[in-house]
mmCIF file of all heavy atoms in Angstrom:
data_model
loop_
_atom_site.group_PDB
_atom_site.id
_atom_site.type_symbol
_atom_site.label_atom_id
_atom_site.label_comp_id
_atom_site.label_asym_id
_atom_site.label_seq_id
_atom_site.Cartn_x
_atom_site.Cartn_y
_atom_site.Cartn_z
ATOM 1 N N GLU A 97 19.104 24.217 -14.481
ATOM 2 C CA GLU A 97 20.325 24.125 -13.721
ATOM 3 C C GLU A 97 19.871 24.368 -12.274
ATOM 4 O O GLU A 97 20.450 23.812 -11.297
ATOM 5 C CB GLU A 97 21.296 25.107 -14.185
ATOM 6 C CG GLU A 97 22.710 24.912 -13.678
ATOM 7 C CD GLU A 97 23.790 25.854 -14.354
ATOM 8 O OE1 GLU A 97 23.842 25.730 -15.617
ATOM 9 O OE2 GLU A 97 24.560 26.442 -13.554
ATOM 10 N N GLU A 98 19.093 25.456 -12.064
ATOM 11 C CA GLU A 98 18.521 25.738 -10.716
ATOM 12 C C GLU A 98 17.146 24.981 -10.546
ATOM 13 O O GLU A 98 16.172 25.696 -10.866
ATOM 14 C CB GLU A 98 18.466 27.188 -10.448
ATOM 15 C CG GLU A 98 19.794 27.985 -10.577
ATOM 16 C CD GLU A 98 20.553 27.636 -9.165
ATOM 17 O OE1 GLU A 98 19.919 27.584 -8.116
ATOM 18 O OE2 GLU A 98 21.802 27.616 -9.260
ATOM 19 N N ALA A 99 17.090 23.813 -10.376
ATOM 20 C CA ALA A 99 15.820 23.060 -10.443
ATOM 21 C C ALA A 99 14.803 23.479 -9.364
ATOM 22 O O ALA A 99 15.276 23.954 -8.319
ATOM 23 C CB ALA A 99 16.071 21.579 -10.211
ATOM 24 N N ASP A 100 13.542 23.721 -9.797
ATOM 25 C CA ASP A 100 12.481 24.212 -9.007
ATOM 26 C C ASP A 100 11.457 23.222 -8.792
ATOM 27 O O ASP A 100 10.587 23.080 -9.616
ATOM 28 C CB ASP A 100 11.959 25.477 -9.539
ATOM 29 C CG ASP A 100 10.734 26.084 -8.706
ATOM 30 O OD1 ASP A 100 10.686 25.573 -7.555
ATOM 31 O OD2 ASP A 100 10.112 26.906 -9.095
ATOM 32 N N PRO A 101 11.466 22.319 -7.762
ATOM 33 C CA PRO A 101 10.490 21.294 -7.631
ATOM 34 C C PRO A 101 9.134 21.854 -7.178
ATOM 35 O O PRO A 101 8.051 21.277 -7.474
ATOM 36 C CB PRO A 101 11.070 20.318 -6.458
ATOM 37 C CG PRO A 101 12.033 21.272 -5.727
ATOM 38 C CD PRO A 101 12.528 22.262 -6.624
ATOM 39 N N ASP A 102 9.057 23.062 -6.715
ATOM 40 C CA ASP A 102 7.842 23.622 -6.344
ATOM 41 C C ASP A 102 6.838 23.866 -7.549
ATOM 42 O O ASP A 102 5.644 23.861 -7.441
ATOM 43 C CB ASP A 102 8.041 24.955 -5.637
ATOM 44 C CG ASP A 102 8.538 24.785 -4.140
ATOM 45 O OD1 ASP A 102 8.991 23.701 -3.904
ATOM 46 O OD2 ASP A 102 8.460 25.695 -3.491
ATOM 47 N N ALA A 103 7.544 24.152 -8.666
ATOM 48 C CA ALA A 103 6.666 24.373 -9.904
ATOM 49 C C ALA A 103 5.835 23.138 -10.278
ATOM 50 O O ALA A 103 4.627 23.289 -10.640
ATOM 51 C CB ALA A 103 7.634 24.718 -11.086
ATOM 52 N N ARG A 104 6.414 21.910 -10.146
ATOM 53 C CA ARG A 104 5.615 20.817 -10.520
ATOM 54 C C ARG A 104 4.526 20.620 -9.372
ATOM 55 O O ARG A 104 3.399 20.287 -9.579
ATOM 56 C CB ARG A 104 6.620 19.592 -10.440
ATOM 57 C CG ARG A 104 5.898 18.307 -10.534
ATOM 58 C CD ARG A 104 5.687 17.566 -9.176
ATOM 59 N NE ARG A 104 5.223 16.235 -9.188
ATOM 60 C CZ ARG A 104 5.656 15.316 -8.367
ATOM 61 N NH1 ARG A 104 6.510 15.531 -7.561
ATOM 62 N NH2 ARG A 104 5.033 14.164 -8.388
ATOM 63 N N GLY A 105 4.839 20.937 -8.098
ATOM 64 C CA GLY A 105 3.773 20.735 -6.975
ATOM 65 C C GLY A 105 2.681 21.767 -7.165
ATOM 66 O O GLY A 105 1.511 21.355 -7.104
ATOM 67 N N ARG A 106 3.006 23.007 -7.599
ATOM 68 C CA ARG A 106 2.008 23.984 -7.741
ATOM 69 C C ARG A 106 1.157 23.629 -8.929
ATOM 70 O O ARG A 106 -0.109 23.812 -8.752
ATOM 71 C CB ARG A 106 2.583 25.335 -8.039
ATOM 72 C CG ARG A 106 3.134 26.068 -6.856
ATOM 73 C CD ARG A 106 3.477 27.592 -7.221
ATOM 74 N NE ARG A 106 4.524 27.640 -8.291
ATOM 75 C CZ ARG A 106 5.765 27.727 -7.974
ATOM 76 N NH1 ARG A 106 6.294 27.573 -6.885
ATOM 77 N NH2 ARG A 106 6.646 27.659 -9.083
ATOM 78 N N ALA A 107 1.696 23.116 -10.017
ATOM 79 C CA ALA A 107 0.889 22.653 -11.226
ATOM 80 C C ALA A 107 -0.129 21.629 -10.836
ATOM 81 O O ALA A 107 -1.250 21.639 -11.103
ATOM 82 C CB ALA A 107 1.729 22.466 -12.348
ATOM 83 N N LEU A 108 0.441 20.557 -10.179
ATOM 84 C CA LEU A 108 -0.276 19.391 -9.774
ATOM 85 C C LEU A 108 -1.403 19.722 -8.807
ATOM 86 O O LEU A 108 -2.563 19.386 -8.972
ATOM 87 C CB LEU A 108 0.549 18.260 -9.192
ATOM 88 C CG LEU A 108 -0.210 16.915 -8.912
ATOM 89 C CD1 LEU A 108 -0.776 16.315 -10.033
ATOM 90 C CD2 LEU A 108 0.895 16.093 -8.250
ATOM 91 N N PHE A 109 -1.049 20.473 -7.764
ATOM 92 C CA PHE A 109 -2.126 20.878 -6.784
ATOM 93 C C PHE A 109 -3.199 21.772 -7.432
ATOM 94 O O PHE A 109 -4.287 21.649 -7.106
ATOM 95 C CB PHE A 109 -1.464 21.603 -5.594
ATOM 96 C CG PHE A 109 -1.072 20.755 -4.515
ATOM 97 C CD1 PHE A 109 -0.472 19.444 -4.780
ATOM 98 C CD2 PHE A 109 -1.113 21.017 -3.173
ATOM 99 C CE1 PHE A 109 -0.016 18.619 -3.802
ATOM 100 C CE2 PHE A 109 -0.632 20.267 -2.242
ATOM 101 C CZ PHE A 109 -0.118 18.946 -2.602
ATOM 102 N N GLY A 110 -2.776 22.627 -8.369
ATOM 103 C CA GLY A 110 -3.671 23.571 -8.979
ATOM 104 C C GLY A 110 -4.830 22.698 -9.699
ATOM 105 O O GLY A 110 -5.960 22.908 -9.775
ATOM 106 N N LEU A 111 -4.273 21.745 -10.531
ATOM 107 C CA LEU A 111 -5.104 20.894 -11.306
ATOM 108 C C LEU A 111 -5.968 19.950 -10.301
ATOM 109 O O LEU A 111 -7.193 19.860 -10.663
ATOM 110 C CB LEU A 111 -4.388 19.910 -12.209
ATOM 111 C CG LEU A 111 -3.564 20.649 -13.410
ATOM 112 C CD1 LEU A 111 -2.606 19.793 -14.038
ATOM 113 C CD2 LEU A 111 -4.512 21.178 -14.438
ATOM 114 N N MET A 112 -5.566 19.495 -9.331
ATOM 115 C CA MET A 112 -6.308 18.724 -8.420
ATOM 116 C C MET A 112 -7.392 19.641 -7.793
ATOM 117 O O MET A 112 -8.562 19.171 -7.589
ATOM 118 C CB MET A 112 -5.461 18.182 -7.266
ATOM 119 C CG MET A 112 -4.515 17.003 -7.811
ATOM 120 S SD MET A 112 -3.457 16.432 -6.422
ATOM 121 C CE MET A 112 -3.543 14.735 -6.655
ATOM 122 N N GLY A 113 -6.958 20.846 -7.512
ATOM 123 C CA GLY A 113 -8.027 21.790 -6.908
ATOM 124 C C GLY A 113 -9.128 22.066 -7.874
ATOM 125 O O GLY A 113 -10.322 22.108 -7.502
ATOM 126 N N ARG A 114 -8.797 22.163 -9.063
ATOM 127 C CA ARG A 114 -9.860 22.411 -10.142
ATOM 128 C C ARG A 114 -10.733 21.269 -10.287
ATOM 129 O O ARG A 114 -11.987 21.502 -10.520
ATOM 130 C CB ARG A 114 -9.160 22.679 -11.524
ATOM 131 C CG ARG A 114 -8.551 24.067 -11.578
ATOM 132 C CD ARG A 114 -7.852 24.407 -12.899
ATOM 133 N NE ARG A 114 -8.917 24.639 -13.886
ATOM 134 C CZ ARG A 114 -8.590 25.226 -15.044
ATOM 135 N NH1 ARG A 114 -7.437 25.404 -15.358
ATOM 136 N NH2 ARG A 114 -9.583 25.276 -15.968
ATOM 137 N N LEU A 115 -10.268 20.037 -10.057
ATOM 138 C CA LEU A 115 -11.166 18.813 -10.069
ATOM 139 C C LEU A 115 -12.160 18.989 -8.873
ATOM 140 O O LEU A 115 -13.354 18.579 -9.050
ATOM 141 C CB LEU A 115 -10.281 17.543 -9.954
ATOM 142 C CG LEU A 115 -9.667 17.043 -11.094
ATOM 143 C CD1 LEU A 115 -8.784 15.898 -10.824
ATOM 144 C CD2 LEU A 115 -10.640 16.768 -12.286
ATOM 145 N N LEU A 116 -11.675 19.449 -7.802
ATOM 146 C CA LEU A 116 -12.563 19.619 -6.669
ATOM 147 C C LEU A 116 -13.380 20.926 -6.636
ATOM 148 O O LEU A 116 -14.286 21.156 -5.818
ATOM 149 C CB LEU A 116 -11.791 19.686 -5.405
ATOM 150 C CG LEU A 116 -11.018 18.337 -5.003
ATOM 151 C CD1 LEU A 116 -10.118 18.698 -3.757
ATOM 152 C CD2 LEU A 116 -12.058 17.276 -4.590
ATOM 153 N N GLY A 117 -13.065 21.821 -7.658
ATOM 154 C CA GLY A 117 -13.825 23.135 -7.742
ATOM 155 C C GLY A 117 -13.382 24.079 -6.682
ATOM 156 O O GLY A 117 -14.202 25.025 -6.331
ATOM 157 N N VAL A 118 -12.116 23.975 -6.206
ATOM 158 C CA VAL A 118 -11.621 24.995 -5.213
ATOM 159 C C VAL A 118 -10.191 25.322 -5.612
ATOM 160 O O VAL A 118 -9.449 24.529 -6.171
ATOM 161 C CB VAL A 118 -11.715 24.222 -3.832
ATOM 162 C CG1 VAL A 118 -10.774 23.021 -3.739
ATOM 163 C CG2 VAL A 118 -11.296 25.258 -2.703
ATOM 164 N N GLU A 119 -9.794 26.468 -5.195
ATOM 165 C CA GLU A 119 -8.476 26.907 -5.374
ATOM 166 C C GLU A 119 -7.550 26.234 -4.273
ATOM 167 O O GLU A 119 -7.825 26.329 -3.184
ATOM 168 C CB GLU A 119 -8.264 28.378 -5.305
ATOM 169 C CG GLU A 119 -6.921 28.794 -5.736
ATOM 170 C CD GLU A 119 -6.848 30.432 -5.862
ATOM 171 O OE1 GLU A 119 -7.858 31.003 -6.256
ATOM 172 O OE2 GLU A 119 -5.707 31.011 -5.597
ATOM 173 N N VAL A 120 -6.444 25.564 -4.741
ATOM 174 C CA VAL A 120 -5.504 24.912 -3.779
ATOM 175 C C VAL A 120 -4.152 25.433 -4.072
ATOM 176 O O VAL A 120 -3.633 25.461 -5.255
ATOM 177 C CB VAL A 120 -5.552 23.424 -3.982
ATOM 178 C CG1 VAL A 120 -4.602 22.809 -3.056
ATOM 179 C CG2 VAL A 120 -6.947 22.905 -3.716
ATOM 180 N N SER A 121 -3.451 25.924 -2.910
ATOM 181 C CA SER A 121 -2.118 26.237 -3.072
ATOM 182 C C SER A 121 -1.213 25.295 -2.354
ATOM 183 O O SER A 121 -1.718 24.397 -1.814
ATOM 184 C CB SER A 121 -1.897 27.679 -2.425
ATOM 185 O OG SER A 121 -2.251 27.639 -1.047
ATOM 186 N N GLY A 122 0.059 25.543 -2.600
ATOM 187 C CA GLY A 122 1.094 24.522 -1.982
ATOM 188 C C GLY A 122 1.515 23.527 -3.001
ATOM 189 O O GLY A 122 1.563 23.810 -4.253
ATOM 190 N N GLY A 123 1.933 22.382 -2.604
ATOM 191 C CA GLY A 123 2.508 21.388 -3.368
ATOM 192 C C GLY A 123 3.968 21.213 -3.374
ATOM 193 O O GLY A 123 4.520 20.158 -3.753
ATOM 194 N N GLY A 124 4.675 22.209 -2.770
ATOM 195 C CA GLY A 124 6.053 22.168 -2.862
ATOM 196 C C GLY A 124 6.616 21.081 -1.863
ATOM 197 O O GLY A 124 7.533 20.342 -2.095
#
Side-chain angles (χ1 to χ4, degrees):
E97 197 169 310
E98 296 283 326
D100 178 15
D102 287 17
R104 174 264 185 141
R106 281 190 304 271
L108 183 61
F109 274 36
L111 291 167
M112 291 175 139
R114 289 180 71 172
L115 284 174
L116 292 173
V118 65
E119 188 172 326
V120 179
S121 60

